[in-house]
């Protein structure tokens, strides 16, 4: 039984983390908090997680409308079958205090807060203080967006001693602007940054969510990006359009062929272990202890 669990863990490692995450997040889908038309569509979408946005997706003169709309969503208990997140404005923006104040009396209904532009642990500490003062439920998680060079180099500090931190999100466009990177469809210029984020996520037992495919009509581009991210160890990808969801959900889930291969590995291991053999060959590949 122990060996069976170890082999299954080895197979599923790319889809999970070193400690149990709060829940599955293949697509992290953003909905502007003030857009009632888009909010009304949430119920019909194939979502693991929806993030009601007060930050970049909302104009300055519509922030208050977004706050009020999001508060009403939680007061009404809408969308009970999906993880409900709220993305506030960045700590230090001068807008985050109003965002948090608007959520204080509904914080018990919120599954998580997405914190943009996290550059130091102090940014998360401010949110933790608010949650403690508001008597937030222990299961409420924090999701940190990595959007700058400073954030990348401070990942160890950001991830350390943060019991509510559940996930890191790679924000490619803001990072590119911060570093003066010229973006290309191949995204080779982002390889190091993408790899660094997922490495720290795995080291600290966190989920890792990949960048937005900003050309939301190009399904081939989305498929390439999502496949690369999955191969790198990411557990999901940000989405900004409903048409992106099916592709992302499919790529960030094990295929029937992969599940069947895992089953065969477990069976073959049991046979070889009973014969006193450790490593064995399957389909021309050497299999040994994880």
């Amino acid at each position: 039984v122990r060996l069976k669990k170890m082999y299954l863990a080895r197979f599923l490692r790319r889809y999970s983390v070193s400690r149990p995450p709060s829940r599955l997040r293949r697509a992290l889908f953003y909905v502007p908090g003030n857009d009632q038309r888009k909010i009304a569509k949430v119920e019909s979408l194939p979502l693991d997680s929806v993030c009601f946005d007060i930050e970049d997706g909302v104009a300055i003169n519509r922030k208050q409308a977004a706050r009020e709309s999001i508060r009403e969503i939680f007061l009404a208990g809408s969308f009970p079958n999906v993880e409900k997140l709220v993305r506030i404005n960045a700590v230090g923006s001068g807008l985050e205090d109003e965002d948090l104040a608007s959520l204080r009396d509904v914080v018990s209904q919120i599954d998580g807060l997405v914190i943009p532009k996290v550059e130091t642990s102090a940014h998360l500490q401010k949110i933790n203080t608010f949650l403690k003062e508001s008597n937030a439920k222990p299961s409420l998680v924090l999701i940190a967006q990595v959007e700058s060079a400073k954030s990348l180099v401070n990942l160890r500090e950001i991830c350390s001693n943060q019991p509510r931190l559940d996930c890191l999100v790679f924000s490619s466009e803001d990072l590119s602007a911060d570093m003066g990177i010229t973006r290309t469809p191949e995204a080779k210029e982002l390889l190091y940054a993408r790899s660094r984020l997922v490495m720290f996520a795995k080291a600290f037992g966190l989920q890792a969510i990949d960048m937005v495919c900003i050309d939301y009509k190009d399904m081939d581009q989305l498929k390439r990006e999502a496949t690369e991210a999955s191969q790198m160890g990411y557990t999901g990808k940000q989405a900004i359009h409903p048409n992106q969801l099916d592709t992302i959900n499919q790529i960030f889930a094990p295929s029937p062929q992969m599940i069947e291969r895992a089953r065969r590995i477990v069976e073959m291991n049991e046979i070889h272990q009973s014969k006193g053999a450790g490593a064995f060959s399957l389909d021309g590949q050497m299999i040994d202890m994880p």
Side-chain angles (χ1 to χ4, degrees):
V1 174
R2 178 175 175 270
L3 285 170
K4 181 181 289 189
K5 290 181 178 179
M6 290 178 70
Y7 274 99
L8 286 173
R10 184 183 192 182
F11 163 70
L12 292 172
R13 194 169 294 149
R14 64 185 289 193
Y15 300 102
S16 60
V17 293
S18 59
R19 64 175 171 82
S22 61
R23 64 174 68 201
L24 184 69
R25 295 186 194 97
R26 293 169 295 178
L28 178 59
F29 183 65
Y30 296 104
V31 177
N34 64 310
D35 194 323
Q36 297 302 318
R37 180 181 64 85
K38 293 180 179 178
I39 291 171
K41 291 182 177 181
V42 166
E43 193 72 57
S44 63
L45 298 177
L47 292 172
D48 297 325
S49 183
V50 60
C51 181
F52 298 107
D53 194 15
I54 316 178
E55 198 222 8
D56 285 353
V58 180
I60 289 290
N61 63 354
R62 300 300 295 164
K63 299 285 189 187
Q64 186 56 33
R67 295 180 187 115
E68 294 171 2
S69 172
I70 291 170
R71 182 173 176 276
E72 289 301 318
I73 289 171
F74 287 103
L75 285 173
S78 304
F79 317 119
N81 298 319
V82 63
E83 180 185 46
K84 294 183 290 294
L85 309 171
V86 179
R87 180 165 70 169
I88 65 170
N89 287 279
V91 174
S93 67
L95 299 169
E96 76 276 14
D97 289 336
E98 291 181 77
D99 298 342
L100 294 172
S102 73
L103 300 173
R104 188 177 295 275
D105 65 342
V106 294
V107 72
S108 63
Q109 306 301 314
I110 299 173
D111 295 313
L113 295 176
V114 178
I115 316 302
K117 300 176 176 62
V118 175
E119 294 190 334
T120 70
S121 61
H123 289 170
L124 295 181
Q125 187 53 49
K126 177 173 182 176
I127 308 303
N128 281 319
T129 299
F130 163 78
L131 294 175
K132 183 177 181 180
E133 293 173 349
S134 303
N135 295 315
K137 59 187 178 182
S139 61
L140 187 152
V141 301
L142 299 182
I143 296 176
Q145 291 195 279
V146 175
E147 307 190 36
S148 68
K150 185 175 181 179
S151 181
L152 276 175
V153 300
N154 285 343
L155 278 173
R156 184 185 300 275
E157 174 203 335
I158 290 168
C159 296
S160 297
N161 301 314
Q162 294 289 346
R164 287 191 184 271
L165 185 62
D166 198 61
C167 181
L168 297 178
V169 177
F170 183 65
S171 298
S172 58
E173 305 313 306
D174 287 273
L175 178 69
S176 295
D178 180 67
M179 295 182 62
I181 293 172
T182 299
R183 288 285 279 111
T184 68
E186 295 77 20
K188 292 180 180 179
E189 66 280 0
L190 296 174
L191 179 59
Y192 169 73
R194 285 172 92 188
S195 299
R196 181 175 173 85
L197 182 142
V198 77
M199 178 182 71
F200 273 88
K202 299 297 180 178
F204 283 90
L206 308 174
Q207 289 185 342
I209 303 295
D210 189 41
M211 60 191 182
V212 171
C213 181
I214 57 174
D215 191 352
Y216 63 88
K217 294 183 179 180
D218 190 338
M219 292 298 107
D220 290 335
Q221 176 71 14
L222 174 65
K223 187 174 182 179
R224 286 194 300 271
E225 284 187 13
T227 299
E228 289 172 357
S230 177
Q231 292 169 345
M232 294 172 71
Y234 279 87
T235 51
K237 189 171 179 66
Q238 298 170 88
I240 55 174
H241 194 279
N243 289 346
Q244 296 178 317
L245 295 173
D246 285 340
T247 296
I248 292 174
N249 286 342
Q250 180 180 3
I251 290 174
F252 287 97
S255 67
Q257 294 79 12
M258 296 175 73
I259 294 173
E260 173 61 18
R261 177 173 169 78
R263 186 191 64 79
R264 290 174 62 210
I265 288 174
V266 171
E267 290 183 354
M268 292 294 290
N269 172 71
E270 291 177 346
I271 293 171
H272 284 80
Q273 288 290 328
S274 68
K275 297 178 180 179
F280 60 92
S281 177
L282 180 67
D283 299 332
Q285 294 183 334
M286 184 63 66
I287 307 295
D288 60 5
M289 189 71 71

